[in-house]
C-alpha cells in the first residue's frame, strides 16, 4: 500500500480564495453594486459572458433591466460601456483581467481612458488566483495599465475594500480598473478599524523592525506574517496601498527612514507593479533605501494547485515569513 | 443523421429576430423625391467638397480622395437627415453622428462647417498647431465630433452603447456611425455587429463607405469582405446598398432605413468613387493618402466647379460611374 501523500490538483478555474473557517462575505462586489445601483439610477452593469464569475449576477438577477449581457466579445463590451458612459450612465463592466487588459487594451485606452469617461472595469483572476496557467493568470495587468493616462487602478485586499470601493469608483469621474476577488471573499481589514479611501494608502499596523508596503490580497498575508513574527519579538508594520494609480507617494515616504527592513508585497509580477511604483517614488526624491520585492517572478507561471504555486513563487504567508527571517 | 430543427423563436427581449423577407431597396427613381430637395443637397455636397479642398491645401496632402468620395453622403446627413443644433452641439435632442474613420476628419469639419458649426475661415486652421481641427478627429478637440476615431474597428462598438443609452432614456433619436470598407477587416467591427443585432438596436444606422481603397491597395484585393450586405443581414441587420455618389439614391436609402419598421439595426453600404468630383484626382494612383502639388489646387477647385455645374445642368444623367 502506497504511503505517498496525494498530489494537490488545480481545481476549478475560479476558486474561492478564502481559507477553511475564515470569515468571509459572499459576492461583495455584486451586493455593493446592487446597493449602489438602487441609490443611483445611472449605474448599469455589463459582462462578457462572465457575470457569474465576477459576481455581477447579483445585479443581473435583482435588476435585469440594468444589466447587459454582451457575450464573449470583450472589445464590444468596452465599446458598449463607452457609449453608455457618453450618454451619462455609469457602467461597471466585468470580465477576467487577462481579457480586459491583453485583448481589449486598445478599446480601454482610446475609447475610455482618452475620453476620460466614468467607466469602471471590475476584472477577476488577478495575479495568482487561479492555477489554470498563463491564459487566465493576470500577472502583468498592472504593468500593462500603469502607463495609461487618466486610469485609476485599485487592487483590493478583501471584501471590506471591495464593498467600500464600489461607491467611490462610481463617484469618481474618470475610468477605473479594479482587480476583483469574487465568490466567498475574506473579511480582514474591518478588524483593524480600517476604511477604504480611493487614492490613499493606510498604515494597518505598526512595528519597529520591518515595514511591508503591500497591495491586494498580499496585505492579508503580510498581516498574517506580522502576527507570526510578533510572537518572536519582531515588529512588522504593514502599509496597505490598494490604489496603485494614482499612487500615494506621500504615505510611502512618511513610512520610510525609520531604520526598518523594507519590503513590498504584491500579487503581480515584480516588473511594473507596486515595487516599481515604490522604486520610482524613492529615486524621484533621492531617498536611498533598499527595498526587497515579494511578488510573482518575471515569468509565465506554472499550472497547478494554488497552495503549491504560492509556495513555489514565494508569495504564501510561510514564504513571506521565511524571507523576512533571512533578511533580518 | 438527425433532421435539422427549426431554431427556437427568440424571446421578445433577447436574440436577433428571425429573418424576414426584405422589401426591395428603395431607389431615388421610385420614391419621387422632391427635385428641389435633391438640388439643395447637391449644392451642399459641392460646398463640402470645396471646404475639404480648402483644408487639404493647408497640408498639401492627406485623405483628400476620401473626403471627396463621402461628400454626397455627408451632405444628405448634415443638411437633411440629422437633427443637430450648431448652437448646442451637445443637445440631448440631437442625433448622434459618429465618425469611426478618424482619417476622414477634414470631410467631417467640411460638413460641420456647412451645417454652420464653424465659420468658413476656420477651415484654414486645419491640422495647424492649436487648431480645433486636428488631422484625425477627436472628441476632446472639436464641438460636434462625438468620438475619437482613427484606431479602426472602434466606432460601431461605441455606437452600440450610445444606442443602448438612448433607449434607456426613452429618446427617439438615432445614432449614425460612418465606417469604411477597410474597417470591415477588423474583428471588433463584427463583434459589434453581432451585439447590435442581438440587442435589436433599431435606433442605429451604420454607413459603410465602400470606396474599395485602403492603404495597400483595393480593399477587395486586401481582404475581401463581400458579399457585405449578406454578412450584415446574417448578423440580424437590415442592409441596403446604393451608389454613394448619387444624392437621390443616398437620400432615399437613408429615409427608408430611418423609417422602416422592425427591431433591427440598419446599414447602408455606399459605393463611392475616391476623388469624386475632381477627375484628375479620381484617376491618380496611390490614392489612399494623396499628395497634390501646389500648382494643382486652382485646377482642383476649377474641375470641381465644372463637374458640379455639369451635374446641375443634367440632373437626370446618371454620372456616378
Amino acid at each position: 500500500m502506497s504511503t505517498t501523500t496525494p498530489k494537490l490538483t488545480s481545481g476549478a478555474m475560479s476558486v474561492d480564495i478564502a481559507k477553511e473557517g475564515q470569515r468571509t462575505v459572499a459576492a461583495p462586489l455584486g451586493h455593493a453594486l446592487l446597493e449602489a445601483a438602487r441609490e443611483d439610477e445611472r449605474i448599469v452593469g455589463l459582462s462578457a459572458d462572465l457575470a457569474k464569475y465576477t459576481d455581477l449576477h447579483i445585479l443581473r438577477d435583482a435588476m435585469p433591466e440594468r444589466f447587459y449581457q454582451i457575450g464573449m466579445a470583450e472589445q464590444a463590451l468596452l465599446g458598449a460601456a463607452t457609449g453608455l458612459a457618453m450618454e451619462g450612465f455609469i457602467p461597471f463592466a466585468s470580465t477576467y483581467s487577462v481579457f480586459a487588459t491583453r485583448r481589449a487594451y486598445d478599446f480601454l485606452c482610446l475609447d475610455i481612458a482618452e475620453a476620460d469617461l466614468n467607466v469602471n472595469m471590475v476584472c477577476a483572476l488577478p495575479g495568482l488566483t487561479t492555477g489554470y496557467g498563463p491564459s487566465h493568470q493576470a500577472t502583468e495587468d498592472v504593468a500593462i495599465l500603469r502607463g495609461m493616462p487618466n486610469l485609476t487602478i485599485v487592487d483590493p485586499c478583501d471584501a471590506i475594500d471591495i464593498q467600500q470601493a464600489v461607491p467611490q469608483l462610481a463617484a469618481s469621474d474618470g475610468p477605473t480598473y479594479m482587480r476583483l476577488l469574487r465568490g466567498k471573499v475574506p473579511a480582514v481589514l474591518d478588524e483593524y478599524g480600517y476604511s477604504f479611501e480611493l487614492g490613499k494608502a493606510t498604515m494597518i499596523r505598526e512595528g519597529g523592525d520591518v515595514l511591508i508596503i503591500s497591495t491586494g490580497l498580499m496585505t492579508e498575508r503580510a498581516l498574517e506574517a506580522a502576527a507570526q513574527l510578533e510572537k518572536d519579538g519582531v515588529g512588522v508594520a504593514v502599509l496597505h496601498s490598494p490604489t496603485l494609480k494614482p499612487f500615494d507617494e506621500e504615505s510611502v515616504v512618511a513610512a520610510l527612514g525609520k531604520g526598518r527592513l523594507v519590503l513590498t508585497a504584491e500579487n503581480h509580477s515584480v516588473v511594473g507593479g507596486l515595487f516599481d511604483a515604490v522604486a520610482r517614488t524613492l529615486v524621484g526624491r533621492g531617498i536611498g533605501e533598499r527595498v526587497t520585492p515579494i511578488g510573482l517572478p518575471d515569468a509565465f507561471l506554472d499550472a497547478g494547485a494554488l497552495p503549491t504555486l504560492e509556495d513555489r513563487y514565494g508569495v504564501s504567508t510561510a514564504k513571506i515569513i521565511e524571507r523576512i527571517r533571512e533578511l533580518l | 443523421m438527425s433532421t435539422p430543427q427549426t431554431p427556437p423563436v427568440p424571446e421578445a427581449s433577447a436574440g436577433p429576430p428571425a429573418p424576414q423577407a426584405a422589401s426591395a431597396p428603395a431607389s431615388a427613381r421610385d420614391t419621387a423625391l422632391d427635385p428641389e430637395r435633391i438640388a439643395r443637397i447637391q449644392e451642399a455636397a459641392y460646398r463640402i467638397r470645396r471646404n475639404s479642398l480648402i483644408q487639404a491645401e493647408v497640408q498639401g496632402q492627406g485623405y483628400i480622395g476620401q473626403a471627396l468620395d463621402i461628400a454626397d453622403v455627408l451632405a444628405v446627413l448634415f443638411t437633411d437627415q440629422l437633427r443637430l443644433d450648431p448652437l448646442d452641439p451637445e443637445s440631448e435632442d440631437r442625433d448622434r453622428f459618429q465618425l469611426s474613420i478618424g482619417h476622414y476628419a477634414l470631410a467631417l469639419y467640411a460638413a460641420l462647417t456647412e451645417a454652420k458649426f464653424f465659420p468658413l475661415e476656420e477651415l484654414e486652421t486645419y491640422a495647424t498647431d492649436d487648431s480645433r481641427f486636428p488631422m484625425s478627429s477627436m472628441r476632446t478637440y472639436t464641438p460636434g465630433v462625438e468620438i475619437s476615431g482613427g484606431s479602426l474597428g472602434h466606432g460601431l462598438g461605441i455606437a452600440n452603447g450610445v444606442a443602448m443609452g438612448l433607449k434607456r432614456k426613452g429618446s427617439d433619436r438615432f445614432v449614425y456611425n460612418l465606417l469604411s470598407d477597410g474597417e470591415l477587416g477588423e474583428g471588433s467591427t463584427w463583434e459589434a455587429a453581432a451585439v447590435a443585432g442581438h440587442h435589436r438596436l433599431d435606433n442605429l444606422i451604420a454607413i459603410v463607405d465602400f470606396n474599395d481603397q485602403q492603404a495597400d491597395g483595393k480593399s477587395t484585393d486586401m481582404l475581401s469582405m463581400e458579399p457585405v450586405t449578406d454578412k450584415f443581414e446574417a448578423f440580424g441587420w437590415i442592409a441596403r446598398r446604393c451608389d454613394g455618389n448619387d444624392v437621390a439614391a443616398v437620400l432615399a436609402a437613408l429615409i427608408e432605413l430611418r423609417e422602416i419598421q422592425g427591431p433591427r439595426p440598419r446599414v447602408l453600404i455606399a459605393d463611392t468613387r475616391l476623388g469624386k468630383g475632381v477627375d484628375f484626382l479620381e484617376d491618380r494612383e496611390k490614392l489612399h493618402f494623396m499628395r497634390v502639388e501646389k500648382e494643382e489646387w486652382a485646377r482642383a477647385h476649377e474641375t470641381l466647379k465644372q463637374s458640379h455645374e455639369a451635374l446641375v445642368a443634367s440632373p437626370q444623367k446618371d454620372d456616378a460611374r
Side-chain angles (χ1 to χ4, degrees):
Chain A
M1 205 174 144
S2 170
T3 55
T4 52
T5 317
K7 286 189 173 182
L8 297 176
T9 61
S10 299
M13 181 192 297
S14 185
V15 294
D16 291 330
I17 56 159
K19 290 183 284 288
E20 191 112 346
Q22 192 175 18
R23 200 162 50 87
T24 60
V25 174
L29 172 86
H31 291 289
L33 188 57
L34 178 58
E35 196 182 319
R38 286 191 170 127
E39 298 280 315
D40 188 337
E41 62 179 20
R42 296 171 300 168
I43 291 176
V44 292
L46 307 88
S47 191
D49 189 37
L50 285 170
K52 197 164 59 176
Y53 296 96
T54 56
D55 290 344
L56 250 70
H57 64 294
I58 304 290
L59 176 74
R60 178 195 69 193
D61 295 347
M63 304 176 90
E65 74 289 354
R66 299 281 282 277
F67 176 79
Y68 294 95
Q69 176 59 263
I70 298 297
M72 204 184 292
E74 291 78 16
Q75 301 173 112
L77 171 78
L78 297 189
T82 300
L84 282 159
M86 283 167 53
E87 289 301 319
F89 295 95
I90 302 176
F92 279 72
S94 83
T95 177
Y96 286 155
S97 289
V98 283
F99 306 138
T101 58
R102 293 177 188 157
R103 186 182 287 258
Y105 179 90
D106 196 32
F107 296 76
L108 176 47
C109 184
L110 289 172
D111 301 351
I112 295 169
E114 195 267 337
D116 205 11
L117 293 168
N118 187 355
V119 173
N120 304 285
M121 279 143 301
V122 283
C123 299
L125 302 187
L128 180 55
T129 49
T130 176
Y132 213 68
S135 65
H136 287 68
Q137 291 162 336
T139 53
E140 84 293 21
D141 58 329
V142 176
I144 290 170
L145 295 181
R146 271 180 66 224
M148 191 181 291
N150 293 342
L151 184 69
T152 294
I153 304 172
V154 174
D155 192 4
C157 165
D158 70 346
I160 311 306
D161 259 348
I162 292 169
Q163 288 168 320
Q164 296 183 3
V166 166
Q168 295 183 41
L169 297 176
S172 75
D173 283 337
T176 68
Y177 170 83
M178 181 159 74
R179 305 181 94 203
L180 181 65
L181 307 172
R182 49 76 57 191
K184 290 191 182 109
V185 178
V188 176
L189 295 176
D190 50 345
E191 288 174 29
Y192 297 84
Y194 163 91
S195 59
F196 174 87
E197 193 183 339
L198 190 60
K200 287 281 170 220
T202 303
M203 193 64 81
I204 307 285
R205 58 168 287 160
E206 270 297 356
D209 305 304
V210 179
L211 168 67
I212 305 177
I213 304 165
S214 62
T215 188
L217 57 74
M218 290 298 279
T219 294
E220 181 188 350
R221 294 178 198 163
L223 290 167
E224 288 169 354
Q228 290 280 327
L229 287 163
E230 190 174 32
K231 291 174 189 165
D232 300 338
V234 179
V236 180
V238 176
L239 178 68
H240 175 47
S241 181
T243 309
L244 288 168
K245 191 184 179 188
F247 189 58
D248 184 1
E249 296 194 355
E250 298 305 325
S251 293
V252 169
V253 170
L256 295 170
K258 298 188 166 87
R260 297 186 284 208
L261 173 68
V262 182
L263 302 96
T264 56
E266 60 193 308
N267 174 34
H268 183 270
S269 165
V270 291
V271 175
L274 174 68
F275 174 68
D276 281 5
V278 169
R280 80 188 290 280
T281 301
L282 300 191
V283 172
R285 293 165 190 253
I287 300 170
E289 183 118 34
R290 180 179 296 276
V291 180
T292 301
I294 291 176
L296 301 169
D298 177 20
F300 290 107
L301 306 188
D302 297 338
L306 286 176
T308 309
L309 298 177
E310 286 160 6
D311 276 346
R312 184 173 300 167
Y313 297 119
V315 294
S316 64
T317 302
K319 292 291 175 184
I320 294 171
I321 294 167
E322 218 175 283
R323 187 84 181 107
I324 290 172
R325 287 204 168 116
E326 282 167 17
L327 291 167
L328 278 172
Chain B
M1 207 170 159
S2 64
T3 311
Q5 298 294 304
T6 308
V9 177
E11 290 171 21
S13 61
Q20 302 155 2
S23 62
S27 83
R29 308 295 177 267
D30 53 43
T31 50
L33 290 163
D34 177 5
E36 279 181 29
R37 188 176 181 185
I38 305 292
R40 181 182 54 71
I41 297 170
Q42 285 171 338
E43 290 297 326
Y46 166 65
R47 288 189 297 269
I48 289 171
R49 288 193 167 90
R50 189 202 57 195
N51 291 351
S52 299
L53 289 179
I54 290 169
Q55 293 172 86
E57 190 172 354
V58 178
Q59 284 285 316
Q61 59 187 359
Y63 298 96
I64 306 161
Q66 292 86 340
L68 293 171
D69 84 43
I70 204 63
D72 296 303
V73 168
L74 293 179
V76 171
L77 287 169
F78 280 84
T79 70
D80 193 286
Q81 287 293 291
L82 294 177
R83 185 188 295 195
L84 292 172
D85 180 358
L87 299 177
D88 187 6
E90 291 177 34
S91 162
E92 190 57 42
D93 197 35
R94 75 193 187 282
D95 288 320
R96 277 68 165 163
F97 173 82
Q98 305 174 335
L99 182 68
S100 187
I101 14 173
H103 308 59
Y104 285 38
L106 80 168
L108 178 54
Y109 308 145
L112 285 167
T113 300
E114 172 63 18
K116 305 208 169 1
F117 277 68
F118 306 108
L120 264 176
E121 308 82 75
E122 195 163 349
L123 292 171
E124 288 174 18
T125 71
Y126 171 69
T128 57
D129 289 348
D130 304 319
S131 169
R132 291 198 288 181
F133 297 164
M135 272 196 97
S136 187
S137 54
M138 287 177 275
R139 154 187 170 88
T140 40
Y141 280 67
T142 321
V145 173
E146 299 265 357
I147 64 171
S148 296
S151 182
L152 300 176
H154 285 233
L156 203 53
I158 299 172
N160 283 342
V162 171
M164 290 167 173
L166 289 173
K167 282 178 177 286
R168 293 202 75 78
K169 290 190 268 195
S171 169
D172 60 359
R173 298 292 95 210
F174 273 70
V175 189
Y176 289 79
N177 191 265
L178 178 60
L179 60 159
S180 65
D181 54 353
E183 207 169 354
L184 300 178
E186 297 285 357
S188 54
T189 297
W190 297 102
E191 279 190 17
V195 170
H198 180 92
H199 286 272
R200 304 181 168 202
L201 300 177
D202 54 8
N203 54 348
L204 167 60
I205 298 177
I207 300 164
V208 179
D209 179 17
F210 207 107
N211 57 25
D212 201 16
Q213 181 70 36
Q214 56 192 86
D216 269 350
K218 284 163 68 72
S219 305
T220 43
D221 289 342
M222 299 302 105
L223 178 62
S224 178
M225 299 305 288
E226 294 282 20
V228 176
T229 48
D230 291 357
K231 284 192 172 69
F232 274 101
E233 281 170 356
F235 277 71
W237 290 57
I238 297 168
R240 297 287 182 265
R241 189 162 188 161
C242 76
D243 178 350
N245 292 124
D246 178 343
V247 162
V250 172
L251 177 63
L254 288 177
I255 290 171
E256 188 207 359
L257 289 177
R258 188 154 178 151
E259 290 178 352
I260 195 169
Q261 295 300 304
R264 299 160 171 234
R266 296 100 203 273
V267 61
L268 174 65
I269 315 300
D271 287 296
T272 61
R273 188 175 175 90
L274 216 69
K276 174 71 186 171
V278 182
D279 54 8
F280 71 92
L281 295 182
E282 286 182 36
D283 298 334
R284 183 155 295 183
E285 283 183 36
K286 294 178 185 168
L287 280 169
H288 174 73
F289 191 81
M290 195 185 287
R291 171 139 209 103
V292 176
E293 301 307 325
K294 260 185 186 162
E295 64 279 8
E296 291 180 316
W297 289 103
R299 194 177 144 215
H301 277 283
E302 187 53 34
T303 310
L304 177 63
K305 192 156 167 264
Q306 284 167 7
S307 67
H308 176 63
E309 283 165 0
L311 173 72
V312 172
S314 56
Q316 299 309 311
K317 183 172 163 257
D318 184 1
D319 71 330
R321 295 282 156 151

